[in-house]
Amino acid sequence: MLLSIFVTLFALIALFEGVYFLTHLHKAFMIFDPNASSFVHRQLQIWGVIMTVLGLITLVAAWTNSIAFIVIMVVLGCILETQMAFSITSEFRAKNR
């Protein structure tokens, strides 16, 4: 039961990130300005869709009680979250060396 709750929280975080990226395609936020950079705009589109799908599938996995499915989704989520952070901030890191 506790595992399902924690995995649900993980899924909701990924889902929130995905929706947030998709709703902020035309708004500047934090260090990102999708209007000024087509690279950032495209990255937000791609990662918004990926994070939304990941969140939905992980939400399903949380309540299937299949340990293998849950572990696969959590590991995949960790890998994708790391890749997302590196790819979205890559332009910022390149400009500020």
Side-chain angles (χ1 to χ4, degrees), residues 4 11 18 42 44 51 58-59 62 68 73 94 96:
S4 295
R42 185 74 180 139
L44 291 179
M51 288 293 119
T58 304
L59 197 58
M73 292 312 297
N96 295 309

Side-chain angles (χ1 to χ4, degrees), residues 34-80:
N35 295 322
S37 171
S38 62
F39 176 79
V40 172
H41 183 83
R42 185 74 180 139
Q43 290 295 314
L44 291 179
Q45 282 180 328
I46 292 168
W47 287 106
V49 171
I50 290 172
M51 288 293 119
T52 303
V53 170
L54 175 74
L56 292 173
I57 295 173
T58 304
L59 197 58
V60 170
W63 296 99
T64 61
N65 290 330
S66 170
I67 297 297
F69 190 26
I70 290 171
V71 169
I72 289 169
M73 292 312 297
V74 169
V75 169
L76 186 62
C78 291
I79 291 169
L80 288 174

Side-chain angles (χ1 to χ4, degrees), residues 4 9 13 16 20 22 24 28 39 42 49 53 62-63 86 90:
S4 295
L9 288 174
I13 290 168
F16 176 78
Y20 186 83
L22 291 173
H24 284 72
F39 176 79
R42 185 74 180 139
V49 171
V53 170
W63 296 99
F86 283 133
S90 63

